[in-house]
Amino acid sequence: RAAEALDNAVWANQFDNEANWKGHYLSTGPEILQQTAGNIHAFTCATGTGGTFAGVSKYLKEQSSAIQTVLADPPGSVLYSHFTQGKMERTGTGSITE
């Protein structure tokens, strides 16, 4: 890995690092709820690692189970492929999220 070969690099491991979604659970979710004054019915976003969607969705759902969370992931992305074909692989020329 490049991070191991460079003195000034770090491997964040965003797909498996729980700090990824927890950061959005602790900051982005509460910020969205505060800025909407609690008047929120749904949340959607595109994903790369899924950290934003997971953290924000978990936080908002804990505040109100009526809040809908929707993944807006375009064809060509890894998660689209996972849900439609059961494969974790990118198709085409890449997606806007990766």
Side-chain angles (χ1 to χ4, degrees), residues 23-37:
H24 294 287
Y25 175 85
L26 295 172
S27 63
T28 314
E31 179 181 354
I32 290 170
L33 194 67
Q34 186 262 335
Q35 289 189 9
T36 61

Side-chain angles (χ1 to χ4, degrees), residues 21-34 40 52-65 67 69:
W21 70 264
K22 286 180 181 178
H24 294 287
Y25 175 85
L26 295 172
S27 63
T28 314
E31 179 181 354
I32 290 170
L33 194 67
Q34 186 262 335
I40 182 170
T52 301
F53 183 76
V56 171
S57 294
K58 180 173 172 50
Y59 179 83
L60 293 177
K61 290 281 198 179
E62 287 178 358
Q63 309 313 303
S64 171
S65 62
I67 296 174
T69 56

